[in-house]
Amino acid sequence: MIWLIGCKGMLGSEVAKQLDEKKLAWVGTDREVDITDPQALLDFTNKIETAAYFPSDLPHNDRKIKWIINCSAYTNVDKAEEEPELAEKLNVTGPLNIARTARSIGAKLIHISTDYVFDGKGTSPYTEELPKAPLGVYGRTKAAGEDAIMKEMNTYYIIRTAWLYGFDGRNFVYTMTKLMNSHESIRVVNDQKGTPTFACDLASVILRFIDKNDNAKSFFGKNSAPAYGIYHFTNAGQTNWHAFAQEIYKLGRKFGRITQDCRVEPCTTEEYGAAVERPAYSVLSKEKITKALKLKIPDWQNSLEKFMKNERFNPL
Ligand SMILES: NC(=O)c1ccc[n+]([C@@H]2O[C@H](COP(=O)([O-])OP(=O)(O)OC[C@H]3O[C@@H](n4cnc5c(N)ncnc54)[C@H](OP(=O)(O)O)[C@@H]3O)[C@@H](O)[C@H]2O)c1
């Protein structure tokens, strides 16, 4: 049994969909099982592993939670500066509670982290072992959440990702699409480099970690399990927010998502004046994950095209 925490979020809902497609035994929770409350987590594991919770014909050995996937988090980068205590509770105490629960029931943990653990002053893709140097509250709390898990248990995979977008949630692609449909011109910063990540691609990587471990139920082919630890995953290639927006405009026009002309003008971060300093360079190296999972990572433009032409595309 897989327990997906944060199953209603942008990434969580994609993981949920793929778990269903693969017909894996899983259960999902979101706010109703509060990650900041350790007793709530423990109570839930007890409920799951008893027959009473599942009156269905699920065999008893499928009720044992072998994996926890944590997609819950405090993700609002700007608001985190105003609510540092809440960000800390969700991004540090929550993962610590989840790691303790996982350890107590002998489950493995997959946890999601971020490129914001780095300061972005680098000039070549960040590898997993480089020292963390977060700039703001969000990055600091996510970095501390990683540390809490690593101190608490050994059987974890922490996957750092960046510039995430998916069908069910607020994200840059939806925001740009809405703005481009309502403005004659928009300005987007061109001095922050990184790589977008399609939530579908990340969700399939998460399931691949599980498959590589539980290869009795292999759907990708039998392989040895990757070593526990930190891995980086985004789509392939690199860009900046302005070039990303230009690609959104091009594809949006092509697939009828954007129905009027809009000029996409570049500007600098300083001209734009954001509330929180963001990493100027946050390209993550995918060498480690590519080798460990034998991945062929799709280019960010190809994944963006898949996203924008999909019938589930629906700017909220
Ligand atoms: N979005 C990005 O660009 C990005 C980039 C890099 C890394 N990441 C990481 O990727 C992961 C997934 O991000 P996402 O954008 O999919 O997040 P998201 O859409 O904000 O989803 C997080 C989910 O957790 C739920 N949640 C909040 N408080 C909770 C609590 N106390 N107990 C249980 N669940 C709670 C949220 O509910 P509510 O919606 O009701 O609050 C939401 O359903 C996160 O770890 C994030 O840090 C995201």
Side-chain angles (χ1 to χ4, degrees), residues 6 8-12 30-31 33-36 71-73 75 90 112-115 138 142 161-164:
K8 292 183 186 154
M10 185 165 68
L11 177 62
D30 204 83
R31 278 194 175 251
V33 179
D34 184 353
I35 59 165
T36 68
C71 293
S72 69
T75 53
L90 289 178
I112 311 303
S113 192
T114 170
D115 55 328
Y138 171 70
K142 291 295 288 184
T161 190
W163 298 24
L164 190 64

Short mmCIF file of all heavy atoms in Angstrom, two decimals, residues 6 8-12 30-31 33-36 71-73 75 90 112-115 138 142 161-164, ligand 1:
data_model
loop_
_atom_site.label_atom_id
_atom_site.label_comp_id
_atom_site.label_asym_id
_atom_site.label_seq_id
_atom_site.Cartn_x
_atom_site.Cartn_y
_atom_site.Cartn_z
N GLY A 6 -0.95 14.87 0.55
CA GLY A 6 -1.04 16.05 -0.33
C GLY A 6 -1.62 15.68 -1.67
O GLY A 6 -1.24 16.23 -2.70
N LYS A 8 -4.34 16.26 -3.10
CA LYS A 8 -5.20 17.19 -3.86
C LYS A 8 -4.39 18.37 -4.43
O LYS A 8 -4.96 19.24 -5.08
CB LYS A 8 -6.30 17.74 -2.95
CG LYS A 8 -7.29 16.65 -2.56
CD LYS A 8 -8.42 17.24 -1.73
CE LYS A 8 -9.31 16.12 -1.22
NZ LYS A 8 -9.99 16.47 0.02
N GLY A 9 -3.11 18.43 -4.18
CA GLY A 9 -2.28 19.51 -4.70
C GLY A 9 -1.97 19.31 -6.17
O GLY A 9 -2.40 18.32 -6.79
N MET A 10 -1.20 20.22 -6.73
CA MET A 10 -0.90 20.16 -8.18
C MET A 10 -0.13 18.88 -8.54
O MET A 10 -0.51 18.15 -9.45
CB MET A 10 -0.09 21.39 -8.58
CG MET A 10 0.17 21.48 -10.07
SD MET A 10 0.73 23.12 -10.54
CE MET A 10 2.36 23.17 -9.78
N LEU A 11 0.92 18.60 -7.80
CA LEU A 11 1.69 17.38 -8.09
C LEU A 11 0.95 16.15 -7.56
O LEU A 11 0.85 15.13 -8.26
CB LEU A 11 3.08 17.48 -7.44
CG LEU A 11 3.96 16.23 -7.59
CD1 LEU A 11 4.26 15.94 -9.06
CD2 LEU A 11 5.27 16.41 -6.81
N GLY A 12 0.41 16.28 -6.35
CA GLY A 12 -0.28 15.14 -5.72
C GLY A 12 -1.40 14.60 -6.59
O GLY A 12 -1.56 13.38 -6.73
N ASP A 30 -5.14 14.63 2.35
CA ASP A 30 -4.68 16.01 2.17
C ASP A 30 -4.87 16.71 3.52
O ASP A 30 -4.48 16.16 4.54
CB ASP A 30 -5.47 16.65 1.02
CG ASP A 30 -4.71 17.80 0.37
OD1 ASP A 30 -3.85 17.55 -0.49
OD2 ASP A 30 -4.97 18.95 0.75
N ARG A 31 -5.51 17.85 3.53
CA ARG A 31 -5.61 18.61 4.79
C ARG A 31 -6.31 17.87 5.93
O ARG A 31 -6.11 18.20 7.09
CB ARG A 31 -6.37 19.90 4.52
CG ARG A 31 -5.47 20.93 3.95
CD ARG A 31 -6.12 22.27 4.00
NE ARG A 31 -5.17 23.27 3.55
CZ ARG A 31 -4.60 24.15 4.35
NH1 ARG A 31 -4.88 24.17 5.62
NH2 ARG A 31 -3.74 25.01 3.87
N VAL A 33 -5.89 15.03 7.06
CA VAL A 33 -4.91 14.39 7.96
C VAL A 33 -3.72 15.35 8.02
O VAL A 33 -2.87 15.37 7.13
CB VAL A 33 -4.49 12.99 7.46
CG1 VAL A 33 -3.47 12.37 8.41
CG2 VAL A 33 -5.71 12.07 7.34
N ASP A 34 -3.73 16.17 9.06
CA ASP A 34 -2.82 17.31 9.16
C ASP A 34 -1.38 16.84 9.44
O ASP A 34 -1.12 16.24 10.49
CB ASP A 34 -3.34 18.21 10.29
CG ASP A 34 -2.55 19.49 10.43
OD1 ASP A 34 -1.51 19.65 9.75
OD2 ASP A 34 -2.96 20.33 11.26
N ILE A 35 -0.48 17.15 8.53
CA ILE A 35 0.91 16.68 8.70
C ILE A 35 1.62 17.34 9.88
O ILE A 35 2.66 16.86 10.33
CB ILE A 35 1.76 16.90 7.42
CG1 ILE A 35 1.81 18.38 7.03
CG2 ILE A 35 1.26 16.04 6.29
CD1 ILE A 35 2.90 18.71 6.01
N THR A 36 1.05 18.43 10.39
CA THR A 36 1.70 19.09 11.53
C THR A 36 1.29 18.43 12.86
O THR A 36 1.76 18.83 13.92
CB THR A 36 1.38 20.60 11.58
OG1 THR A 36 0.00 20.77 11.87
CG2 THR A 36 1.70 21.27 10.26
N CYS A 71 3.62 14.92 -1.03
CA CYS A 71 3.49 16.05 -1.97
C CYS A 71 2.90 17.27 -1.29
O CYS A 71 2.60 18.26 -1.95
CB CYS A 71 2.61 15.65 -3.15
SG CYS A 71 3.33 14.40 -4.20
N SER A 72 2.68 17.20 0.03
CA SER A 72 2.13 18.38 0.72
C SER A 72 3.28 19.32 1.07
O SER A 72 4.42 18.89 1.23
CB SER A 72 1.40 17.95 2.00
OG SER A 72 2.34 17.47 2.95
N ALA A 73 2.96 20.59 1.16
CA ALA A 73 3.99 21.59 1.52
C ALA A 73 3.34 22.95 1.62
O ALA A 73 2.19 23.13 1.22
CB ALA A 73 5.08 21.64 0.45
N THR A 75 3.78 26.24 -0.24
CA THR A 75 4.47 26.49 -1.53
C THR A 75 4.41 27.95 -2.01
O THR A 75 4.95 28.25 -3.07
CB THR A 75 3.87 25.59 -2.63
OG1 THR A 75 2.45 25.78 -2.66
CG2 THR A 75 4.17 24.13 -2.39
N LEU A 90 4.71 23.63 8.14
CA LEU A 90 4.37 22.74 7.02
C LEU A 90 5.61 22.14 6.35
O LEU A 90 5.59 21.00 5.90
CB LEU A 90 3.54 23.47 5.97
CG LEU A 90 2.11 23.79 6.40
CD1 LEU A 90 1.38 24.57 5.33
CD2 LEU A 90 1.35 22.51 6.70
N ILE A 112 9.30 15.63 -1.68
CA ILE A 112 9.63 16.56 -2.77
C ILE A 112 10.24 17.85 -2.20
O ILE A 112 9.69 18.44 -1.27
CB ILE A 112 8.38 16.91 -3.62
CG1 ILE A 112 7.63 15.63 -4.02
CG2 ILE A 112 8.78 17.71 -4.86
CD1 ILE A 112 8.43 14.61 -4.78
N SER A 113 11.35 18.26 -2.78
CA SER A 113 11.97 19.51 -2.37
C SER A 113 12.20 20.40 -3.61
O SER A 113 11.58 20.17 -4.66
CB SER A 113 13.26 19.24 -1.59
OG SER A 113 13.70 20.43 -0.96
N THR A 114 13.06 21.37 -3.48
CA THR A 114 13.07 22.46 -4.45
C THR A 114 14.47 22.99 -4.78
O THR A 114 15.40 22.88 -3.97
CB THR A 114 12.22 23.63 -3.88
OG1 THR A 114 12.38 24.78 -4.68
CG2 THR A 114 12.66 24.01 -2.47
N ASP A 115 14.58 23.61 -5.96
CA ASP A 115 15.81 24.32 -6.35
C ASP A 115 16.08 25.51 -5.44
O ASP A 115 17.19 26.02 -5.39
CB ASP A 115 15.69 24.80 -7.81
CG ASP A 115 14.46 25.66 -8.05
OD1 ASP A 115 13.42 25.43 -7.38
OD2 ASP A 115 14.51 26.58 -8.91
N TYR A 138 10.82 30.44 2.26
CA TYR A 138 10.40 29.19 1.61
C TYR A 138 11.61 28.25 1.43
O TYR A 138 11.57 27.09 1.84
CB TYR A 138 9.76 29.50 0.24
CG TYR A 138 9.48 28.27 -0.59
CD1 TYR A 138 8.49 27.36 -0.23
CD2 TYR A 138 10.22 28.01 -1.75
CE1 TYR A 138 8.24 26.23 -1.00
CE2 TYR A 138 9.98 26.89 -2.53
CZ TYR A 138 8.98 26.00 -2.15
OH TYR A 138 8.75 24.87 -2.91
N LYS A 142 12.27 24.67 3.34
CA LYS A 142 12.38 23.43 2.55
C LYS A 142 13.73 22.75 2.82
O LYS A 142 13.82 21.53 2.92
CB LYS A 142 12.20 23.71 1.05
CG LYS A 142 10.81 24.12 0.63
CD LYS A 142 9.75 23.05 0.81
CE LYS A 142 9.86 21.91 -0.18
NZ LYS A 142 8.76 20.93 -0.04
N THR A 161 12.89 19.53 -7.29
CA THR A 161 12.43 19.91 -8.61
C THR A 161 12.31 21.42 -8.71
O THR A 161 12.68 22.13 -7.75
CB THR A 161 11.09 19.21 -8.92
OG1 THR A 161 10.78 19.40 -10.31
CG2 THR A 161 9.95 19.74 -8.06
N ALA A 162 11.85 21.95 -9.84
CA ALA A 162 11.82 23.40 -10.04
C ALA A 162 10.75 23.77 -11.07
O ALA A 162 10.38 22.95 -11.92
CB ALA A 162 13.18 23.87 -10.55
N TRP A 163 10.27 24.98 -10.99
CA TRP A 163 9.38 25.59 -12.01
C TRP A 163 8.28 24.61 -12.42
O TRP A 163 8.08 24.31 -13.61
CB TRP A 163 10.19 26.01 -13.24
CG TRP A 163 11.25 27.05 -13.02
CD1 TRP A 163 11.90 27.34 -11.86
CD2 TRP A 163 11.78 27.94 -14.01
NE1 TRP A 163 12.81 28.36 -12.08
CE2 TRP A 163 12.75 28.74 -13.38
CE3 TRP A 163 11.55 28.14 -15.37
CZ2 TRP A 163 13.48 29.72 -14.05
CZ3 TRP A 163 12.28 29.11 -16.05
CH2 TRP A 163 13.23 29.89 -15.40
N LEU A 164 7.58 24.10 -11.42
CA LEU A 164 6.60 23.03 -11.64
C LEU A 164 5.27 23.57 -12.18
O LEU A 164 4.77 24.58 -11.70
CB LEU A 164 6.38 22.34 -10.28
CG LEU A 164 5.59 21.06 -10.23
CD1 LEU A 164 6.32 19.94 -10.97
CD2 LEU A 164 5.38 20.63 -8.76
N1 LIG B 1 5.05 24.61 -7.44
C1 LIG B 1 6.33 24.74 -7.78
O1 LIG B 1 6.72 25.52 -8.68
C2 LIG B 1 7.38 23.90 -7.07
C3 LIG B 1 8.72 24.07 -7.44
C4 LIG B 1 9.68 23.29 -6.80
C5 LIG B 1 9.31 22.37 -5.82
N2 LIG B 1 8.00 22.26 -5.48
C6 LIG B 1 7.64 21.29 -4.43
O2 LIG B 1 6.79 20.31 -5.03
C7 LIG B 1 5.88 19.81 -4.04
C8 LIG B 1 4.47 19.85 -4.60
O3 LIG B 1 4.15 21.21 -4.90
P1 LIG B 1 2.71 21.62 -5.43
O4 LIG B 1 2.89 22.88 -6.20
O5 LIG B 1 2.03 20.46 -6.05
O6 LIG B 1 1.99 21.99 -4.04
P2 LIG B 1 0.48 22.41 -3.76
O7 LIG B 1 -0.30 22.42 -5.04
O8 LIG B 1 0.51 23.64 -2.93
O9 LIG B 1 -0.06 21.18 -2.90
C9 LIG B 1 0.22 21.00 -1.55
C10 LIG B 1 -0.96 20.27 -0.92
O10 LIG B 1 -0.70 20.10 0.49
C11 LIG B 1 -1.90 20.44 1.18
N3 LIG B 1 -1.67 20.82 2.56
C12 LIG B 1 -1.46 22.05 3.06
N4 LIG B 1 -1.34 22.01 4.39
C13 LIG B 1 -1.46 20.71 4.76
C14 LIG B 1 -1.45 20.05 6.01
N5 LIG B 1 -1.25 20.70 7.17
N6 LIG B 1 -1.61 18.71 6.04
C15 LIG B 1 -1.80 18.02 4.89
N7 LIG B 1 -1.83 18.61 3.67
C16 LIG B 1 -1.68 19.95 3.61
C17 LIG B 1 -2.43 21.60 0.37
O11 LIG B 1 -3.77 21.92 0.70
P3 LIG B 1 -4.28 23.43 0.42
O12 LIG B 1 -4.24 23.63 -1.06
O13 LIG B 1 -5.66 23.42 0.97
O14 LIG B 1 -3.36 24.34 1.14
C18 LIG B 1 -2.27 21.06 -1.04
O15 LIG B 1 -3.34 20.22 -1.43
C19 LIG B 1 6.12 20.65 -2.78
O16 LIG B 1 6.97 19.95 -1.91
C20 LIG B 1 6.83 21.89 -3.30
O17 LIG B 1 7.66 22.48 -2.32
C21 LIG B 1 7.02 23.00 -6.08
#
